């Protein structure tokens, strides 16, 4: 069942919104349990995953290594809970788009829908709340000033135009509560039918490949890698960037970390092995491979 990703600036009120969703969804499930309307909904359970439930201190944001370990703990907890009868609310900063993409892929792997709830509290208000939390020892929360500035600077705001941030629901600071009914309808449905998640078009295709497909796969993927190598040669020492590929409307979006030739060759071989058994239109190969590379680069962060 669905994954709900909470995202926003530090001290934006994400946990407050996550608790609102948790309580509202539990009430909907309890209401369904008292009737015979939908036994599927009555079986659902709601799980809230956040720093507190994982026993993580906000001091982890002082350095890269403990922060990375904290993200890994949250990722593992969400992945473990995702299932047929579970609604998982991942409450946290979730400020890295690559991390949101990874969780989106985990939800899709178990054929369950997902959404992002962006807590859109302005930075100035977040800073005011954060300072108040730091000054009041009786209240939990609050980030060190340097950590707060760093997290705000690195925050990658969700974009509803990307599939891993869609559907996107934005909750403003002034809103009394999130759009609970809209989120419920988008993820659970109101017609008694479970929301179906379609598999990736690039990996689920009709069998029976033409005899020259392997040649086309090797040639097309090699052409794309050649374009990347040419770009890297023209931009020595630079990481990231968009590579235009002849005959393809989508650019290759290189990750922040430098991608080596052997890494690209491994990705090319994986794509070829994955698709050689299917009947693919040669015209689509270049676009599919570029999309595959972009997805894999996102996982690199």
């Amino acid at each position: 069942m669905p994954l709900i990703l909470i995202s926003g600036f530090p001290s934006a009120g994400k946990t407050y919104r996550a608790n609102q969703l948790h309580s509202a969804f539990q009430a909907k499930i309890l209401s369904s349990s008292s009737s015979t309307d939908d036994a599927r909904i009555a079986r659902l359970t709601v799980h809230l995953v956040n720093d507190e439930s994982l026993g993580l201190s906000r001091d982890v944001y002082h350095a890269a290594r403990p922060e990375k370990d904290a993200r890994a703990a949250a990722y593992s907890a969400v992945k473990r809970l995702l299932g047929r009868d579970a609604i998982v609310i991942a409450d946290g900063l979730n400020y890295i788009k690559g991390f949101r993409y990874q969780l989106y892929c985990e939800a899709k792997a178990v054929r369950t829908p997902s959404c992002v709830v962006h807590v859109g509290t302005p930075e100035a208000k977040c800073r005011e709340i954060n300072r108040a939390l730091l000054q009041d020892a009786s209240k939990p929360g609050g980030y060190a000033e340097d950590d707060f500035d760093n997290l705000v600077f690195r925050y990658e705001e969700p974009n509803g135009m990307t599939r891993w941030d869609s559907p996107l629901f934005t909750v403003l600071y002034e809103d009394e509560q999130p759009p609970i009914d809209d989120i419920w309808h988008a993820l659970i449905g109101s017609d008694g039918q479970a929301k179906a998640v379609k598999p990736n078009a690039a990996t689920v295709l009709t069998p029976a490949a033409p005899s020259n497909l392997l040649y086309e796969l090797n040639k097309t993927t090699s052409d794309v890698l050649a374009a990347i190598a040419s770009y890297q040669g023209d931009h020595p020492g630079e990481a990231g960037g968009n590579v235009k590929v002849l005959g393809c409307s989508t650019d290759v979006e290189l990750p922040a970390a430098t991608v080596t030739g052997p890494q690209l060759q491994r990705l090319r071989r994986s794509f070829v092995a994955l698709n050689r058994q299917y009947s693919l239109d040669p015209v689509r190969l270049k676009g599919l491979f570029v999309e595959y590379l972009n997805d894999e680069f996102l996982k690199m962060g």
Side-chain angles (χ1 to χ4, degrees), residues 258-280:
T258 302
V259 186
T260 64
Q263 286 177 307
L264 290 170
Q265 287 296 338
R266 281 195 295 272
L267 291 174
R268 186 188 75 82
R269 288 193 295 270
S270 295
F271 180 82
V272 170
L274 188 64
N275 291 284
R276 62 186 301 174
Q277 60 182 313
Y278 297 108
S279 179
L280 288 167

mmCIF file of all heavy atoms in Angstrom, residues 258-280:
data_model
loop_
_atom_site.group_PDB
_atom_site.id
_atom_site.type_symbol
_atom_site.label_atom_id
_atom_site.label_comp_id
_atom_site.label_asym_id
_atom_site.label_seq_id
_atom_site.Cartn_x
_atom_site.Cartn_y
_atom_site.Cartn_z
ATOM 1 N N THR A 258 31.617 12.347 -10.900
ATOM 2 C CA THR A 258 32.125 11.990 -12.226
ATOM 3 C C THR A 258 31.841 10.523 -12.535
ATOM 4 O O THR A 258 32.083 9.646 -11.715
ATOM 5 C CB THR A 258 33.640 12.247 -12.298
ATOM 6 O OG1 THR A 258 33.892 13.625 -12.011
ATOM 7 C CG2 THR A 258 34.173 11.909 -13.682
ATOM 8 N N VAL A 259 31.325 10.276 -13.721
ATOM 9 C CA VAL A 259 31.034 8.911 -14.166
ATOM 10 C C VAL A 259 32.170 8.444 -15.066
ATOM 11 O O VAL A 259 32.496 9.098 -16.059
ATOM 12 C CB VAL A 259 29.700 8.831 -14.923
ATOM 13 C CG1 VAL A 259 29.361 7.384 -15.242
ATOM 14 C CG2 VAL A 259 28.592 9.458 -14.122
ATOM 15 N N THR A 260 32.768 7.309 -14.726
ATOM 16 C CA THR A 260 33.913 6.809 -15.484
ATOM 17 C C THR A 260 33.461 5.964 -16.670
ATOM 18 O O THR A 260 32.310 5.516 -16.742
ATOM 19 C CB THR A 260 34.818 5.965 -14.578
ATOM 20 O OG1 THR A 260 34.091 4.800 -14.149
ATOM 21 C CG2 THR A 260 35.272 6.752 -13.362
ATOM 22 N N GLY A 261 34.395 5.725 -17.566
ATOM 23 C CA GLY A 261 34.106 4.876 -18.719
ATOM 24 C C GLY A 261 33.661 3.478 -18.341
ATOM 25 O O GLY A 261 32.668 2.971 -18.889
ATOM 26 N N PRO A 262 34.357 2.794 -17.419
ATOM 27 C CA PRO A 262 33.914 1.458 -17.009
ATOM 28 C C PRO A 262 32.507 1.450 -16.410
ATOM 29 O O PRO A 262 31.738 0.508 -16.649
ATOM 30 C CB PRO A 262 34.960 1.050 -15.961
ATOM 31 C CG PRO A 262 36.194 1.795 -16.365
ATOM 32 C CD PRO A 262 35.703 3.108 -16.878
ATOM 33 N N GLN A 263 32.155 2.497 -15.658
ATOM 34 C CA GLN A 263 30.800 2.575 -15.107
ATOM 35 C C GLN A 263 29.764 2.680 -16.228
ATOM 36 O O GLN A 263 28.721 2.018 -16.195
ATOM 37 C CB GLN A 263 30.673 3.787 -14.171
ATOM 38 C CG GLN A 263 31.356 3.632 -12.831
ATOM 39 C CD GLN A 263 31.254 4.896 -11.995
ATOM 40 O OE1 GLN A 263 31.611 5.983 -12.439
ATOM 41 N NE2 GLN A 263 30.755 4.761 -10.783
ATOM 42 N N LEU A 264 30.050 3.503 -17.208
ATOM 43 C CA LEU A 264 29.128 3.649 -18.337
ATOM 44 C C LEU A 264 28.995 2.347 -19.118
ATOM 45 O O LEU A 264 27.893 1.980 -19.554
ATOM 46 C CB LEU A 264 29.618 4.771 -19.257
ATOM 47 C CG LEU A 264 29.509 6.194 -18.695
ATOM 48 C CD1 LEU A 264 30.238 7.174 -19.598
ATOM 49 C CD2 LEU A 264 28.049 6.600 -18.540
ATOM 50 N N GLN A 265 30.094 1.640 -19.294
ATOM 51 C CA GLN A 265 30.038 0.371 -20.022
ATOM 52 C C GLN A 265 29.202 -0.666 -19.266
ATOM 53 O O GLN A 265 28.463 -1.448 -19.878
ATOM 54 C CB GLN A 265 31.459 -0.160 -20.265
ATOM 55 C CG GLN A 265 32.237 0.607 -21.321
ATOM 56 C CD GLN A 265 31.614 0.504 -22.705
ATOM 57 O OE1 GLN A 265 30.858 -0.419 -23.010
ATOM 58 N NE2 GLN A 265 31.930 1.469 -23.557
ATOM 59 N N ARG A 266 29.324 -0.670 -17.925
ATOM 60 C CA ARG A 266 28.502 -1.596 -17.130
ATOM 61 C C ARG A 266 27.021 -1.282 -17.294
ATOM 62 O O ARG A 266 26.185 -2.195 -17.423
ATOM 63 C CB ARG A 266 28.911 -1.541 -15.660
ATOM 64 C CG ARG A 266 30.180 -2.327 -15.343
ATOM 65 C CD ARG A 266 30.336 -2.549 -13.855
ATOM 66 N NE ARG A 266 30.528 -1.308 -13.126
ATOM 67 C CZ ARG A 266 31.700 -0.747 -12.903
ATOM 68 N NH1 ARG A 266 32.804 -1.314 -13.377
ATOM 69 N NH2 ARG A 266 31.799 0.388 -12.216
ATOM 70 N N LEU A 267 26.676 0.004 -17.293
ATOM 71 C CA LEU A 267 25.278 0.395 -17.474
ATOM 72 C C LEU A 267 24.799 0.025 -18.876
ATOM 73 O O LEU A 267 23.658 -0.420 -19.047
ATOM 74 C CB LEU A 267 25.130 1.898 -17.246
ATOM 75 C CG LEU A 267 25.319 2.384 -15.798
ATOM 76 C CD1 LEU A 267 25.297 3.898 -15.731
ATOM 77 C CD2 LEU A 267 24.237 1.797 -14.889
ATOM 78 N N ARG A 268 25.656 0.198 -19.866
ATOM 79 C CA ARG A 268 25.280 -0.160 -21.233
ATOM 80 C C ARG A 268 25.011 -1.663 -21.347
ATOM 81 O O ARG A 268 24.000 -2.083 -21.926
ATOM 82 C CB ARG A 268 26.395 0.248 -22.204
ATOM 83 C CG ARG A 268 26.031 0.059 -23.675
ATOM 84 C CD ARG A 268 27.221 0.295 -24.584
ATOM 85 N NE ARG A 268 28.144 -0.825 -24.532
ATOM 86 C CZ ARG A 268 27.999 -1.959 -25.228
ATOM 87 N NH1 ARG A 268 26.944 -2.123 -26.013
ATOM 88 N NH2 ARG A 268 28.888 -2.910 -25.135
ATOM 89 N N ARG A 269 25.898 -2.475 -20.756
ATOM 90 C CA ARG A 269 25.707 -3.925 -20.825
ATOM 91 C C ARG A 269 24.438 -4.352 -20.086
ATOM 92 O O ARG A 269 23.732 -5.265 -20.530
ATOM 93 C CB ARG A 269 26.934 -4.637 -20.252
ATOM 94 C CG ARG A 269 28.173 -4.553 -21.146
ATOM 95 C CD ARG A 269 29.245 -5.534 -20.696
ATOM 96 N NE ARG A 269 29.761 -5.204 -19.372
ATOM 97 C CZ ARG A 269 30.796 -4.411 -19.161
ATOM 98 N NH1 ARG A 269 31.439 -3.854 -20.184
ATOM 99 N NH2 ARG A 269 31.221 -4.168 -17.934
ATOM 100 N N SER A 270 24.160 -3.697 -18.974
ATOM 101 C CA SER A 270 22.947 -4.038 -18.210
ATOM 102 C C SER A 270 21.694 -3.733 -19.034
ATOM 103 O O SER A 270 20.748 -4.519 -19.062
ATOM 104 C CB SER A 270 22.906 -3.247 -16.895
ATOM 105 O OG SER A 270 23.957 -3.627 -16.046
ATOM 106 N N PHE A 271 21.697 -2.572 -19.704
ATOM 107 C CA PHE A 271 20.553 -2.195 -20.535
ATOM 108 C C PHE A 271 20.362 -3.170 -21.687
ATOM 109 O O PHE A 271 19.237 -3.589 -21.988
ATOM 110 C CB PHE A 271 20.744 -0.775 -21.061
ATOM 111 C CG PHE A 271 19.616 -0.291 -21.928
ATOM 112 C CD1 PHE A 271 18.457 0.216 -21.368
ATOM 113 C CD2 PHE A 271 19.717 -0.346 -23.314
ATOM 114 C CE1 PHE A 271 17.411 0.660 -22.169
ATOM 115 C CE2 PHE A 271 18.685 0.089 -24.125
ATOM 116 C CZ PHE A 271 17.519 0.597 -23.547
ATOM 117 N N VAL A 272 21.454 -3.534 -22.326
ATOM 118 C CA VAL A 272 21.376 -4.485 -23.449
ATOM 119 C C VAL A 272 20.851 -5.832 -22.960
ATOM 120 O O VAL A 272 19.963 -6.437 -23.580
ATOM 121 C CB VAL A 272 22.749 -4.637 -24.119
ATOM 122 C CG1 VAL A 272 22.734 -5.790 -25.123
ATOM 123 C CG2 VAL A 272 23.155 -3.342 -24.814
ATOM 124 N N ALA A 273 21.385 -6.324 -21.846
ATOM 125 C CA ALA A 273 20.946 -7.629 -21.321
ATOM 126 C C ALA A 273 19.482 -7.598 -20.925
ATOM 127 O O ALA A 273 18.761 -8.589 -21.088
ATOM 128 C CB ALA A 273 21.811 -8.013 -20.122
ATOM 129 N N LEU A 274 19.035 -6.453 -20.427
ATOM 130 C CA LEU A 274 17.654 -6.323 -19.962
ATOM 131 C C LEU A 274 16.659 -6.319 -21.115
ATOM 132 O O LEU A 274 15.539 -6.816 -20.991
ATOM 133 C CB LEU A 274 17.513 -5.027 -19.148
ATOM 134 C CG LEU A 274 16.200 -4.770 -18.409
ATOM 135 C CD1 LEU A 274 15.974 -5.810 -17.333
ATOM 136 C CD2 LEU A 274 16.219 -3.371 -17.799
ATOM 137 N N ASN A 275 17.068 -5.781 -22.261
ATOM 138 C CA ASN A 275 16.116 -5.543 -23.351
ATOM 139 C C ASN A 275 16.323 -6.402 -24.601
ATOM 140 O O ASN A 275 15.515 -6.330 -25.517
ATOM 141 C CB ASN A 275 16.186 -4.058 -23.765
ATOM 142 C CG ASN A 275 15.641 -3.130 -22.705
ATOM 143 O OD1 ASN A 275 14.438 -3.017 -22.520
ATOM 144 N ND2 ASN A 275 16.529 -2.459 -21.988
ATOM 145 N N ARG A 276 17.349 -7.235 -24.629
ATOM 146 C CA ARG A 276 17.626 -7.995 -25.846
ATOM 147 C C ARG A 276 16.553 -9.032 -26.156
ATOM 148 O O ARG A 276 16.402 -9.463 -27.298
ATOM 149 C CB ARG A 276 18.988 -8.679 -25.742
ATOM 150 C CG ARG A 276 19.090 -9.689 -24.627
ATOM 151 C CD ARG A 276 20.504 -10.229 -24.473
ATOM 152 N NE ARG A 276 20.973 -10.869 -25.694
ATOM 153 C CZ ARG A 276 22.198 -11.315 -25.883
ATOM 154 N NH1 ARG A 276 23.105 -11.164 -24.925
ATOM 155 N NH2 ARG A 276 22.538 -11.911 -27.009
ATOM 156 N N GLN A 277 15.788 -9.435 -25.131
ATOM 157 C CA GLN A 277 14.776 -10.470 -25.351
ATOM 158 C C GLN A 277 13.416 -9.906 -25.755
ATOM 159 O O GLN A 277 12.481 -10.665 -25.998
ATOM 160 C CB GLN A 277 14.610 -11.296 -24.070
ATOM 161 C CG GLN A 277 14.160 -10.474 -22.865
ATOM 162 C CD GLN A 277 14.047 -11.296 -21.615
ATOM 163 O OE1 GLN A 277 13.464 -12.375 -21.644
ATOM 164 N NE2 GLN A 277 14.606 -10.804 -20.523
ATOM 165 N N TYR A 278 13.302 -8.589 -25.833
ATOM 166 C CA TYR A 278 12.006 -7.982 -26.122
ATOM 167 C C TYR A 278 11.959 -7.411 -27.532
ATOM 168 O O TYR A 278 12.995 -7.150 -28.154
ATOM 169 C CB TYR A 278 11.688 -6.878 -25.111
ATOM 170 C CG TYR A 278 11.571 -7.371 -23.703
ATOM 171 C CD1 TYR A 278 12.556 -7.084 -22.763
ATOM 172 C CD2 TYR A 278 10.493 -8.153 -23.309
ATOM 173 C CE1 TYR A 278 12.463 -7.547 -21.459
ATOM 174 C CE2 TYR A 278 10.389 -8.619 -22.016
ATOM 175 C CZ TYR A 278 11.369 -8.318 -21.095
ATOM 176 O OH TYR A 278 11.273 -8.785 -19.806
ATOM 177 N N SER A 279 10.738 -7.195 -27.995
ATOM 178 C CA SER A 279 10.538 -6.622 -29.320
ATOM 179 C C SER A 279 10.473 -5.102 -29.190
ATOM 180 O O SER A 279 9.451 -4.534 -28.826
ATOM 181 C CB SER A 279 9.233 -7.150 -29.929
ATOM 182 O OG SER A 279 9.016 -6.583 -31.196
ATOM 183 N N LEU A 280 11.577 -4.456 -29.473
ATOM 184 C CA LEU A 280 11.672 -3.007 -29.341
ATOM 185 C C LEU A 280 11.741 -2.343 -30.708
ATOM 186 O O LEU A 280 12.404 -2.845 -31.614
ATOM 187 C CB LEU A 280 12.921 -2.635 -28.541
ATOM 188 C CG LEU A 280 12.915 -2.929 -27.049
ATOM 189 C CD1 LEU A 280 14.328 -2.784 -26.496
ATOM 190 C CD2 LEU A 280 11.977 -2.009 -26.324
#
